[in-house]
Amino acid sequence: MSSNNFPNRGPTIIAVTSWTLGLTTAVVASRLFCRMRIVRSVTWDDYFIVVAWCIALGLTLSISLAAGNGLGRHDKDILDQDWVTLRNCEYVFSVLYNPGLMAAKTSVLVFYLRLSKNTQRVMRIASWAVLAIVNLAGVVLTLINLFQCRPIAAAFDTHTQPTYCIPLLTQFLCSAPVNVITDLAILALPLPVLTSMRLPRRQKVILILTFALGIFVTVVDVVRIYYLEQAITVTSSAFETETGPTIGHSPDFAWNASMSLMWSSLEVNVGIVCACIPTLKPLIRRILPAMLVDPNGTRAYDKGSSTDGNGSSNNARPPAGGIFADGNITPPAPVHNGGRQESQVSSIDFMTTPDMGFAAHSPDPLNRSPTILTSATGTFSMTENSVYFGFVNMRRPKSMIRTSVRDSFKFCTIVIILFLLWGFSYGILNQLNNAVSAVSGMSTAENIGLSSIYFGGGYLLGPLLVGEWILRHDEHSRSRKKSNGPDHIGGYRATFIVGLCVYGVGTIMFWPSAVLTSFAGFMVCNFVVGFGLSIIETGANPFIVFCGPMDYAEMRLCLAQGLQAVSTVLSGLLAERVFFTKLETSTSTTTNSTSLLDVQWTYLAITLLCAALALFFYYMPLPEVTDTEMEASTRYLPIDPTKRSFGGLQLRTCTLVLAILAQWATVAGQESMSIFFQQLITPKTTTSMTTGQPLESILSPIGLTLSIPDYLLISHTCFALSRFLAAYLAYLSPTHPKIPQPRTILSITTGLSIICGIMVVAVRPANPNLLVIPVVLFYFFEGPLWPLIFALGLRGQGKRTKRAAAYITMGASGPAFWPFVIYAVTQRGGNVQTAFAVVPALFVLAGFFSLFLDLKGDARALVDARVGAENQSRIQDRANRDMDLDTILEARRRASLAAMSTDEEKTGFFKRLSIALTKGSNVLPARKDSDPPTSEHREASSGSPG
């Protein structure tokens, strides 16, 4: 049979895989030449790359042999004698794929571990964590592919019928999130170290681009996922008829899976190439030295060519003792150690070939200290560069409670990006849970479980276990006063980064859940997403509250939450009009496992956006605030927050407890309304779903003018508008006495929410469109409750503000229990409207907080306190003056100590005496610990964090 008589992808597969294998072989050979002949040091990462190349060779040979025996053809075009070879090659390929990726990524991570010996501990711990994930996932997936069928021979023997087989393409697609996450982690791990290095502009750009080439692995992986999805979509009809679609057991597998298998081979080869390129620097220096060395022969640092990780430039002047600019203290020049070879290796040589000496910088036999000129030549060790690695050891803006209106607008605008992100996620998840329930035929209890695990699991554990710990980790470090320790991770920015990483993992986990249409998978996905978003909220909400003048704290948070609600409306509209337009119930002939594939790309985009935002927040300097500063800010309040109130508790403790209770009850009522929205509007027509009933008829019952999703969008729009209205009133209240205070707005909206909830329970009109009115009004009045409760609950908390923020965020865990109560009432024969009486009762419980603020005089004074422009200016001037004094004193002390350490052996008695006298007359007495006495340390000494 001539190959021209039928479509055949085999020649393309052979050509592409052979070419990439040739490129991989050349790159690996060049790496080994560099390591063995130039560097003369072969390490474990080189061994692993050789193993990866051997596996890539097996992959290429197996897929090429398969392409020559029918891969890339339709079943009817494959010769009978080719089936045995084809099946064997496909089985070998499936087994070798994951070990090839595992070996290539292990080589890169072992290389990072060698680099981290001379950097910060954070990179080393992260490398170990990613290494464990890569190898654990690789081993598990390899075993799954090895034993994909029972009996095993059924996977490759055409004469053995399987009793059960794991769908191979489905397994490949489900494992894609692990590859994407580890690819992004490997790409991001070295960036903080690379961007903080002091190098000539050309070398630094080349170095960063070299390591950034790993992005191509992610691109190839995304293309591979696309072809996997296409293959599954085409063969979806076989998923319901076959005992287990796998290699050779699904119709036209050789044709449908050919491109996805080719891109899988490309992924392994591209990964090996990207892993080898950073090690080729010695060879490039010999072939193209002008790429790495300036044409004039110097290695001077270009102005602005290096940053310390927060956007501040390291200028062309070399770092010398006592040199500082713009309030930024530059580390002193490192003392030369002529007896150590590594002290003469530049950072670029160390990062690319860690064990290689730099010939141009031989040890100085005279053991001379570096001068300003020699310091500018680039002989810096990683010890010095490591000073700039980390989350908190960076130049940052002044404390957030001292920011001006202009700075507050800038920083709050940046953080509002996070509000938009979790608003978009909430809107998608709300529609997705309904779609998943319809597609997979979930029960009402399972549908409630998806929301309960999101709030009751993620929001209960995230703020307490991770959010509060990360947010206050720098406070723990200050209280311990460790000397000579690594940079400590903590604060608002670190909380944002950790939350984004967890949230990104949760969104990419949706991929396998959608492919398998697994209820357990969706439960885990919702939990991880809620866990990550709760961490973000633990930091984002108090950041908006305190970043700026305190008079407008409620206004800022209501405005940010309003934008979050707008994002929810837009994402819900997108889900309704784009993603879930053709969904049908589980008995439809349309395959369930492919019904949700379209939204997968949205979640992949969200994952990539989370990775980009995490890097953005790493380099974006944001203001922080210490517990001591928060405690000091309470001195301007007209009432002492620690004053004893009910039950002998402090006044601020009473407000915090009631705020947590109000938040818990409010969110429980809000989510109960969302879950039972359809049943409330159409109580007479939503008894049970008919088997095989189209989703369109379920969402558009007879008698309603609009569909259920349309009414839900209208309700969410009113929800957002009410937050903007509350923000406007909170903006006017400090300067207009007739405008109600935020606590009064809270009382009014809580009371009206209770009235609307009672109307939903009591009013039962014949026309279901009339019942929509109290439901929409309920959404409108409950909109401002969350931001107002959060902002008012944080007022006067002082040194325990961060912990209070975590507790109030944890209050969103109310939906873990109460929706099941409503469901239980309906299962016992009660009407859904009668069961909804639980919601007004919950809002009555929430109303105790607003009543306490209105009726208790001390509480009114606490939350109505207005600092005013004069006191706000006084806070800023005093704090800034103290901060500047501490900075100047510390700079002088460090400059004097640096001069002592570098010149003590060479200076005479009179010069040393002069330095000592200068030190004694300009700085405070030295502390016992070696930590620099910054303003944060000074404040921590006056009161331990709560």
Side-chain angles (χ1 to χ4, degrees):
M1 183 180 296
S2 173
S3 61
N4 296 326
N5 297 331
F6 54 84
N8 185 9
R9 296 171 176 172
T12 302
I13 295 173
I14 295 175
V16 172
T17 55
S18 300
W19 183 85
T20 53
L21 178 65
L23 176 63
T24 303
T25 303
V27 174
V28 171
S30 301
R31 171 176 179 151
L32 295 179
F33 176 80
C34 291
R35 302 297 295 171
M36 299 173 66
R37 300 299 301 272
I38 301 178
V39 182
R40 299 186 183 277
S41 175
V42 180
T43 52
W44 279 104
D45 52 317
D46 303 310
Y47 296 131
F48 279 111
I49 209 67
V50 171
V51 173
W53 177 84
C54 293
I55 297 175
L57 177 63
L59 280 172
T60 304
L61 292 178
S62 62
I63 195 173
S64 298
L65 185 58
N69 288 273
L71 183 66
R73 307 178 195 173
H74 293 286
D75 288 354
K76 61 185 179 63
D77 300 323
I78 302 175
L79 301 178
D80 294 338
Q81 62 269 23
D82 292 339
W83 276 105
V84 175
T85 304
L86 175 61
R87 294 282 294 279
N88 290 333
C89 292
E90 290 173 335
Y91 178 73
V92 171
F93 182 91
S94 67
V95 174
L96 292 180
Y97 167 72
N98 285 296
L101 283 180
M102 182 173 60
K105 293 180 180 180
T106 300
S107 174
V108 176
L109 291 168
V110 170
F111 178 56
Y112 288 174
L113 287 174
R114 291 200 292 126
L115 298 183
S116 61
K117 291 180 181 179
N118 294 318
T119 61
Q120 285 292 325
R121 187 177 59 177
V122 176
M123 181 180 178
R124 187 172 185 83
I125 294 175
S127 298
W128 276 115
V130 178
L131 184 63
I133 294 173
V134 166
N135 285 273
L136 180 61
V139 171
V140 171
L141 293 174
T142 300
L143 293 177
I144 291 176
N145 289 328
L146 188 63
F147 303 104
Q148 60 188 263
C149 285
R150 291 199 302 260
I152 299 176
F156 54 85
D157 188 357
T158 56
H159 302 291
T160 303
Q161 293 299 319
T163 59
Y164 174 78
C165 282
I166 299 175
L168 181 66
L169 288 179
T170 302
Q171 187 268 321
F172 271 13
L173 193 56
C174 291
S175 64
V178 179
N179 293 334
V180 173
I181 292 172
T182 53
D183 289 342
L184 294 176
I186 291 173
L187 177 66
L189 276 175
L191 291 182
V193 176
L194 299 177
T195 54
S196 64
M197 294 173 62
R198 296 168 181 256
L199 294 173
R201 183 183 298 273
R202 178 180 302 180
Q203 290 188 5
K204 188 169 186 178
V205 171
I206 292 175
L207 181 61
I208 295 175
L209 291 179
T210 298
F211 278 82
L213 288 176
I215 192 65
F216 287 106
V217 181
T218 304
V219 172
V220 172
D221 196 19
V222 171
V223 176
R224 168 181 169 268
I225 290 172
Y226 170 78
Y227 282 106
L228 282 172
E229 180 183 315
Q230 295 300 311
I232 289 180
T233 303
V234 173
T235 61
S236 60
S237 59
F239 283 18
E240 297 176 353
T241 59
E242 297 292 334
T243 57
T246 182
I247 293 178
H249 288 277
S250 59
D252 272 344
F253 179 88
W255 170 265
N256 297 326
S258 57
M259 298 303 293
S260 60
L261 296 181
M262 182 191 75
W263 280 97
S264 298
S265 175
L266 284 177
E267 182 184 8
V268 176
N269 284 288
V270 171
I272 295 173
V273 171
C274 293
C276 291
I277 287 179
T279 65
L280 301 182
K281 189 257 181 178
L283 185 63
I284 295 175
R285 272 192 78 238
R286 292 193 174 188
I287 299 176
L288 299 172
M291 289 183 60
L292 303 178
V293 181
D294 293 336
N296 57 7
T298 65
R299 297 169 62 91
Y301 295 90
D302 297 331
K303 182 175 182 179
S305 65
S306 178
T307 61
D308 57 5
N310 67 342
S312 59
S313 301
N314 299 326
N315 55 29
R317 296 183 64 183
I323 297 179
F324 60 98
D326 298 331
N328 223 12
I329 304 173
T330 306
V335 180
H336 173 66
N337 186 356
R340 297 179 60 187
Q341 181 182 4
E342 59 267 24
S343 64
Q344 294 298 322
V345 181
S346 68
S347 300
I348 180 69
D349 291 305
F350 180 84
M351 291 295 295
T352 53
T353 53
D355 299 318
M356 173 187 173
F358 192 24
H361 294 80
S362 58
D364 189 352
L366 300 179
N367 192 25
R368 294 172 296 185
S369 298
T371 62
I372 290 182
L373 180 60
T374 58
S375 297
T377 61
T379 57
F380 296 106
S381 65
M382 283 302 299
T383 302
E384 181 220 353
N385 290 322
S386 67
V387 172
Y388 298 103
F389 180 76
F391 287 96
V392 298
N393 192 7
M394 307 166 70
R395 189 186 68 174
R396 293 182 305 216
K398 54 191 175 184
S399 173
M400 65 173 61
I401 62 174
R402 301 192 292 262
T403 54
S404 61
V405 175
R406 180 178 180 181
D407 290 339
S408 172
F409 176 80
K410 176 178 65 176
F411 295 127
C412 289
T413 301
I414 294 172
V415 175
I416 283 176
I417 296 174
L418 301 176
F419 286 79
L420 298 176
L421 180 66
W422 81 61
F424 184 87
S425 174
Y426 179 78
I428 287 287
L429 280 177
N430 193 27
Q431 296 286 346
L432 176 65
N433 289 342
N434 296 330
V436 169
S437 177
V439 168
S440 59
M442 292 182 184
S443 65
T444 304
E446 289 176 327
N447 192 22
I448 295 174
L450 294 178
S451 296
S452 296
I453 197 66
Y454 176 87
F455 288 99
Y459 273 79
L460 177 64
L461 301 178
L464 301 181
L465 297 182
V466 179
E468 189 267 347
W469 184 80
I470 293 293
L471 189 60
R472 298 190 66 249
H473 189 63
D474 53 345
E475 302 290 346
H476 305 326
S477 305
R478 272 189 287 271
S479 62
R480 295 191 190 104
K481 297 182 179 180
K482 292 183 179 180
S483 59
N484 297 325
D487 294 340
H488 298 290
I489 302 174
Y492 288 94
R493 187 171 52 160
T495 306
F496 299 155
I497 294 173
V498 173
L500 284 169
C501 292
V502 176
Y503 172 61
V505 171
T507 54
I508 198 64
M509 286 173 61
F510 168 78
W511 200 289
S513 302
V515 174
L516 300 175
T517 321
S518 169
F519 172 72
F522 284 116
M523 287 286 285
V524 174
C525 177
N526 279 6
F527 171 77
V528 177
V529 168
F531 195 94
L533 289 179
S534 68
I535 296 173
I536 297 176
E537 285 212 60
T538 302
N541 285 313
F543 185 95
I544 296 295
V545 169
F546 295 109
C547 187
M550 281 302 300
D551 290 358
Y552 301 98
E554 292 82 6
M555 181 272 293
R556 289 192 298 270
L557 188 57
C558 285
L559 181 60
Q561 291 283 352
L563 293 174
Q564 176 259 333
V566 170
S567 181
T568 299
V569 172
L570 295 178
S571 62
L573 184 63
L574 182 65
E576 179 189 353
R577 305 299 185 190
V578 179
F579 295 139
F580 308 126
T581 56
K582 299 180 180 179
L583 289 178
E584 295 180 342
T585 55
S586 59
T587 57
S588 171
T589 56
T590 303
T591 305
N592 295 337
S593 60
T594 60
S595 299
L596 303 174
L597 292 181
D598 291 339
V599 77
Q600 289 180 345
W601 295 104
T602 301
Y603 276 93
L604 178 62
I606 292 176
T607 301
L608 299 178
L609 177 63
C610 288
L613 286 177
L615 285 176
F616 170 77
F617 277 105
Y618 179 87
Y619 292 106
M620 180 66 199
L622 293 177
E624 299 282 351
V625 65
T626 66
D627 287 350
T628 307
E629 288 175 320
M630 291 303 305
E631 185 68 20
S633 66
T634 61
R635 73 181 65 171
Y636 295 96
L637 299 177
I639 187 73
D640 183 8
T642 62
K643 181 180 179 181
R644 298 297 172 179
S645 185
F646 292 121
L649 298 176
Q650 294 182 4
L651 177 61
R652 61 183 180 184
T653 301
C654 293
T655 58
L656 177 60
V657 171
L658 290 175
I660 297 172
L661 180 63
Q663 207 72 285
W664 183 75
T666 299
V667 180
Q670 173 184 330
E671 289 307 307
S672 297
M673 171 64 84
S674 298
I675 293 173
F676 295 97
F677 185 84
Q678 178 180 346
Q679 290 89 332
L680 287 170
I681 294 181
T682 57
K684 298 181 180 180
T685 60
T686 56
T687 56
S688 62
M689 287 192 306
T690 305
T691 302
Q693 183 180 0
L695 184 64
E696 182 179 358
S697 63
I698 297 174
L699 299 181
S700 301
I702 298 176
L704 287 181
T705 305
L706 301 176
S707 65
I708 299 296
D710 290 337
Y711 277 126
L712 186 62
L713 284 175
I714 293 174
S715 300
H716 284 160
T717 302
C718 294
F719 184 86
L721 291 176
S722 65
R723 288 185 169 180
F724 288 119
L725 178 59
Y728 179 69
L729 294 177
Y731 170 74
L732 296 177
S733 62
T735 55
H736 295 74
K738 295 183 179 181
I739 300 297
Q741 295 292 327
R743 60 172 173 80
T744 307
I745 300 174
L746 177 62
S747 299
I748 294 173
T749 52
T750 303
L752 292 176
S753 297
I754 296 173
I755 295 175
C756 292
I758 295 175
M759 292 177 60
V760 173
V761 175
V763 178
R764 304 185 182 185
N767 186 355
N769 292 286
L770 297 179
L771 190 58
V772 174
I773 297 176
V775 171
V776 173
L777 290 176
F778 179 86
Y779 271 92
F780 179 82
F781 292 123
E782 75 168 352
L785 297 186
W786 169 277
L788 290 177
I789 292 172
F790 208 109
L792 294 173
L794 290 182
R795 281 192 175 272
Q797 295 301 323
K799 62 183 180 182
R800 56 185 195 179
T801 297
K802 297 178 180 178
R803 182 171 293 160
Y807 290 158
I808 298 178
T809 305
M810 179 268 296
S813 60
F817 173 73
W818 291 107
F820 285 105
V821 174
I822 299 177
Y823 173 71
V825 173
T826 59
Q827 290 300 105
R828 295 288 181 177
N831 185 275
V832 66
Q833 286 183 276
T834 303
F836 193 74
V838 171
V839 174
L842 288 172
F843 276 80
V844 170
L845 186 63
F848 283 109
F849 177 58
S850 58
L851 288 177
F852 175 77
L853 298 182
D854 280 330
L855 301 180
K856 183 70 172 175
D858 292 339
R860 287 200 305 271
L862 180 66
V863 298
D864 288 349
R866 294 294 177 254
V867 176
E870 182 179 354
N871 286 336
Q872 187 74 31
S873 176
R874 189 183 306 165
I875 294 175
Q876 289 182 323
D877 292 342
R878 178 175 179 179
N880 292 341
R881 184 169 59 252
D882 294 342
M883 182 181 62
D884 294 340
L885 178 61
D886 288 338
T887 301
I888 294 172
L889 294 177
E890 174 59 17
R892 291 178 178 176
R893 190 182 75 87
R894 293 186 61 180
S896 300
L897 293 177
M900 288 282 293
S901 61
T902 55
D903 298 330
E904 188 174 15
E905 295 181 358
K906 297 183 179 182
T907 56
F909 170 79
F910 292 101
K911 185 173 182 179
R912 281 182 285 170
L913 179 61
S914 175
I915 293 175
L917 293 176
T918 303
K919 172 187 173 184
S921 62
N922 286 283
V923 298
L924 298 173
R927 296 171 177 260
K928 293 182 179 179
D929 57 307
S930 59
D931 286 341
T934 60
S935 60
E936 294 177 349
H937 283 269
R938 176 185 58 79
E939 293 166 347
S941 64
S942 62
S944 59

